[in-house]
Amino acid sequence: MIDLDEIEPAPPLRRRELLFATAFGTAGVVMVFVTLIGAYLAARNAAGDLWLEGSRIPLTQANMQMATLVMAAVTMQWAVYSISRDDRLHTYLALGVTLLLGAAFVNQTTFLVKQANVVLAEPGGALFYSVVGFQTAMVVAGLVFLVIMAFRVLAGQFSSRQPDGLSAAAVYWYACVATYAVVWIAVYVMK
Amino acid sequence: MTVTETAPASDAVASAPNRSQTGLERILGGADHTTLGRAFVLTGLGWFTVAIIARGVVGADMVADNGVLGDWLAVVSNSARVIGPLGLAGALMGVLYVLVPLQLASPAISYPRGAALAFWAWSLAMFIFTVSVAFDGGVGGANTEAARLGNVSLGAILASLSLAAVCVATTVLTHRPPGMGLARVPFSSWAALLGSSLWIITMASAFAHVVVGHVSRANAEGLAQNFVGGILWMSRAPAVYVLAIPILGIALDVTSSVTGTRIRFYGLAQGLVGAFAVLSIGVWAQSDRSINTIVWTLFALGIALPVVGILGLIADSFRRGRFKLTPAVPLVVVSVMFLFGSATAGLLWALNLAGSGTLLGFDTTLLGAAQVTFVGASLVTGVIGAVFHWAPQFWGAEVRSAPALAAAGLTILGGSLLTTVVLVQGLIQRNGERPANQLFGVLVVVAAVMYLLGVLGAFSAIRGTVRAGADGPPDPEVTGETLEWALPTPARGARIPEDLPEVSSPYPLAPAEESAVKVSR
């Protein structure tokens, strides 16, 4: 049998290392997105009425997605708030709800893309899929990040003294929400 | 501790490389930043030799009036301009892998396994890109499948370099010892922080165009257009300078070390590096429309000011201190001068724009090529200068002066000739005409041969140094007052002594009273 007392405690982590690394990584990911949406808007202006003329993008679904991610941002902040007060129960609850909302967003995106029925070969098709696909991939990566951090919370690696993991996940998650807000306006609302 | 965590200082012994491992095992399975850095440097310089050979073949093709490459001219020429700078970017990243943690007295780089992943992904992607060139893909090739392979591998190169940059930038921000605020960070690490931060956003923006090219399922021609429209901006001002930001820090540190003086106006020097970094932000200047603007002109002209300022600080140190001609000295000084040459090409481009192309009629494509050639020359001289100067940390002993000086001379001559040829080409060959093309071809071949001999000479000097090991001749005159000079050589990850002095100035190894004088200055 393993004597838990004989196991050496994990060495202390460097404060804010994960937070800074995530911030740098997030900057890179956001830059990819900004470039994609810039190319999308430039091409749309150049194409005029021909832009996605064979497709119909419903707005209701996109509005629901925006509302979902806004709620997910609130619950993410709830998780950060809870771990910084060592309220582990609420941390688990907040992380669970955030994961559920994120998964719902991905589900809604697949539904919307099927509804929109954008053809890749038509003008703007490749850019539409690049923008929407990349933003969705960002959210999926955010979910994976959250799951890993949730396991680490369960393992006791984060607390009010060391909340960096959840703070880092929150930074990335807020970037996901912000980029979707841009997609919502530039791609779905303004069409 | 999870596999993604960095070992803290107290865990130094556990992180030390296993002595029973062979060198190959350490490279393949380890995450020691010094081993990875050395591998990055050598592999990067290796890819540069591939690019320079291709450049020489292009020169021979100019002499033979397209009788050598035929239809392969575009793919070989364009791909060499990708392999060269991105290979050198890897080599420079290798220097930072080794140097930055040592300057911060950190036992490891941030996320060492991520750093290892970046190195291996970059190596594999560079290899795949080169293979795609062999199958008429790469950039500008005619084979669609091979061109798609080239596009994807280019994306992987950019992503892996960005990952490496994240590790380096995070190391500077989080691994500094107590007392070392950002204002006291050694110049190389300071420039590494700024450079890495901008590499991340610049390469990410180029990566986005790789994504579009792949998602659109474009054919070879479409991918070539995607490259020209979406990625080529990286090879002209202002974005091209992003790759060279760390060179400025290396040049300042080497100068301080060799002259035995401290760089005057430390904060100003940091500010000049920062100004250079700001003026190298080029993600906004991707389209041709953005070039013919006042902002672009200001960026193109303004970049010369921090370069001149840093050259002035370097000259001031040489004036005040002793002058010892080590192989690193001419290399790092010339590396900064090459940046000034690149700024000159930008100035000529801006002048050409002032007349809307009618006043001077320069070939702006060639001026753009001149800019990236100058920056490439700056990178290769800076990287070789760094591995020569910090040879005890990198290879375990001082480099022998004679072969290293010869290598330095050939590299400088090759770089100077090649950059001058491309610049003059841009000035003479106007309006699509190609006068004296064969003469330029001969000069390109000569420059490529000198470059090649210089880099091979550097490899030879490094090999001799590694063989000499700790028995090599010590050079007590070449040392420094930053923390890497207090560590055992050759550097290995996790071997950080506990009795390092507390950091109270940018030169922690300086005697206390001198530090106090300097700080109050």
Side-chain angles (χ1 to χ4, degrees):
Chain A
M1 178 175 286
I2 299 172
D3 184 355
L4 293 177
D5 292 335
E6 288 184 1
I7 298 176
E8 286 188 20
L13 304 177
R14 286 185 188 275
R15 283 282 289 185
R16 295 188 223 157
E17 186 173 35
L18 182 56
L19 192 57
F20 278 119
T22 304
F24 281 119
T26 303
V29 171
V30 169
M31 199 64 223
V32 175
F33 174 79
V34 167
T35 306
L36 286 174
I37 201 76
Y40 181 94
L41 293 174
R44 190 179 67 185
N45 285 343
D49 293 339
L50 294 174
W51 190 255
L52 300 180
E53 62 173 353
S55 308
R56 182 185 149 273
I57 303 177
L59 189 56
T60 310
Q61 200 67 39
N63 292 342
M64 285 304 298
Q65 286 178 277
M66 188 70 251
T68 304
L69 279 190
V70 168
M71 287 191 289
V74 173
T75 56
M76 186 70 240
Q77 186 56 36
W78 177 20
V80 174
Y81 178 88
S82 299
I83 196 68
S84 63
R85 281 154 185 77
D86 288 325
D87 186 349
R88 307 189 77 79
L89 182 64
H90 277 185
T91 304
Y92 299 139
L93 193 59
L95 283 174
V97 176
T98 308
L99 285 167
L100 186 67
L101 290 170
F105 171 84
V106 175
N107 183 41
Q108 290 173 89
T109 303
T110 56
F111 180 78
L112 176 61
V113 168
K114 283 182 182 173
Q115 289 282 308
N117 197 28
V118 174
V119 179
L120 186 67
E122 71 176 300
L127 279 168
F128 174 84
Y129 282 111
S130 295
V131 170
V132 175
F134 185 80
Q135 202 281 329
T136 308
M138 275 181 73
V139 174
V140 171
L143 289 173
V144 173
F145 195 177
L146 276 177
V147 167
I148 293 170
M149 291 305 122
F151 274 115
R152 292 182 65 177
V153 173
L154 279 169
Q157 290 191 5
F158 299 128
S159 64
S160 59
R161 290 182 60 211
Q162 176 60 283
D164 287 2
L166 282 188
S167 302
V171 166
Y172 182 78
W173 192 251
Y174 300 147
C176 292
V177 177
T179 52
Y180 180 74
V182 176
V183 171
W184 178 60
I185 293 171
V187 177
Y188 298 136
V189 176
M190 294 168 65
K191 293 195 175 59
Chain B
M1 191 166 69
T2 71
V3 293
T4 57
E5 294 303 336
T6 303
S10 59
D11 207 26
V13 176
S15 302
N18 185 344
R19 289 280 156 208
S20 65
Q21 286 180 323
T22 64
L24 182 64
E25 286 170 339
R26 275 205 297 273
I27 292 172
L28 288 176
D32 169 32
H33 69 99
T34 62
T35 308
L36 287 170
R38 291 183 192 104
F40 231 145
V41 168
L42 295 176
T43 318
L45 289 177
W47 285 116
F48 177 70
T49 60
V50 171
I52 209 66
I53 289 170
R55 202 68 191 273
V57 173
V58 170
D61 189 70
M62 289 164 71
V63 176
D65 201 15
N66 197 219
V68 177
L69 289 170
D71 294 340
W72 285 74
L73 175 61
V75 64
V76 171
S77 177
N78 293 334
S79 299
R81 285 181 181 155
V82 171
I83 293 171
L86 293 181
L88 288 173
L92 183 56
M93 191 52 78
V95 172
L96 302 183
Y97 266 28
V98 175
L99 192 56
V100 167
L102 297 182
Q103 288 197 324
L104 307 178
S106 169
I109 194 170
S110 270
Y111 300 99
R113 288 165 188 84
L117 173 66
F119 167 68
W120 289 110
W122 171 84
S123 301
L124 185 63
M126 289 290 287
F127 176 74
I128 293 174
F129 183 84
T130 309
V131 168
S132 79
V133 175
F135 286 95
D136 199 13
V139 174
N143 184 318
T144 293
E145 293 302 318
R148 285 177 180 166
L149 186 65
N151 185 57
V152 171
S153 54
L154 179 58
I157 293 168
L158 296 170
S160 51
L161 285 174
S162 297
L163 176 59
V166 167
C167 296
V168 169
T170 307
T171 304
V172 180
L173 283 180
T174 61
H175 285 216
R176 281 172 287 132
M180 187 185 279
L182 281 178
R184 291 175 180 168
V185 165
F187 287 118
S188 299
S189 297
W190 169 250
L193 172 63
L194 299 177
S196 299
S197 306
L198 292 183
W199 282 29
I200 293 166
I201 60 168
T202 304
M203 292 185 183
S205 190
F207 180 83
H209 293 285
V210 171
V211 170
V212 173
H214 190 70
V215 171
S216 65
R217 297 178 186 171
N219 58 15
E221 188 182 350
L223 286 172
Q225 288 173 354
N226 184 59
F227 180 84
V228 172
I231 302 172
L232 197 60
W233 56 270
M234 275 185 73
S235 67
R236 67 176 180 229
V240 70
Y241 297 113
V242 159
L243 293 177
I245 296 169
I247 293 295
L248 298 177
I250 288 170
L252 287 166
D253 274 343
V254 170
T255 301
S256 172
S257 169
V258 169
T259 59
T261 63
R262 288 152 210 166
I263 299 293
R264 218 196 286 258
F265 310 120
Y266 201 89
L268 173 67
Q270 282 190 318
L272 288 172
V273 177
F276 184 88
V278 169
L279 291 168
S280 69
I281 296 173
V283 289
W284 59 273
Q286 298 189 13
S287 72
D288 288 339
R289 277 184 306 166
S290 59
I291 290 178
N292 197 7
T293 60
I294 185 68
V295 180
W296 185 87
T297 306
L298 287 174
F299 269 63
L301 300 181
I303 198 83
L305 294 178
V307 175
V308 170
I310 286 168
L311 279 172
L313 290 171
I314 289 173
D316 174 67
S317 285
F318 277 109
R319 184 181 60 78
R320 289 185 294 121
R322 63 171 184 266
F323 182 83
K324 177 174 169 53
L325 183 62
T326 68
V329 170
L331 284 165
V332 297
V333 172
V334 169
S335 71
V336 182
M337 293 171 81
F338 277 135
L339 293 179
F340 187 75
S342 186
T344 306
L347 167 71
L348 293 169
W349 195 339
L351 283 176
N352 196 56
L353 287 173
S356 302
T358 58
L359 186 65
L360 300 168
F362 297 147
D363 187 325
T364 51
T365 306
L366 284 170
L367 287 181
Q371 287 188 318
V372 75
T373 309
F374 269 113
V375 170
S378 173
L379 291 181
V380 70
T381 50
V383 166
I384 294 175
V387 297
F388 280 178
H389 180 70
W390 282 286
Q393 287 81 3
F394 273 82
W395 320 111
E398 297 287 341
V399 285
R400 285 177 296 164
S401 278
L405 272 173
L410 282 167
T411 307
I412 290 170
L413 281 176
S416 303
L417 182 57
L418 188 61
T419 50
T420 307
V421 166
V422 180
L423 181 63
V424 173
Q425 255 187 298
L427 304 183
I428 291 177
Q429 298 189 333
R430 304 178 191 183
N431 305 319
E433 295 177 6
R434 292 286 177 261
N437 211 38
Q438 290 182 323
L439 173 63
F440 284 125
V442 171
L443 292 173
V444 167
V445 171
V446 172
V449 169
M450 285 200 288
Y451 239 153
L452 192 62
L453 290 176
V455 177
L456 292 178
F459 276 127
S460 173
I462 289 168
R463 187 164 169 265
T465 307
V466 172
R467 281 189 168 183
D471 298 329
D475 188 348
E477 287 191 50
V478 178
T479 182
E481 294 176 338
T482 40
L483 290 175
E484 75 272 19
W485 295 100
L487 305 178
T489 59
R492 289 258 181 269
R495 284 171 59 191
I496 304 296
E498 292 180 358
D499 56 349
L500 284 173
E502 190 175 328
V503 177
S504 58
S505 85
Y507 299 96
L509 302 185
E513 64 277 15
E514 292 183 39
S515 272
V517 170
K518 184 187 56 48
V519 169
S520 64
R521 188 175 287 166

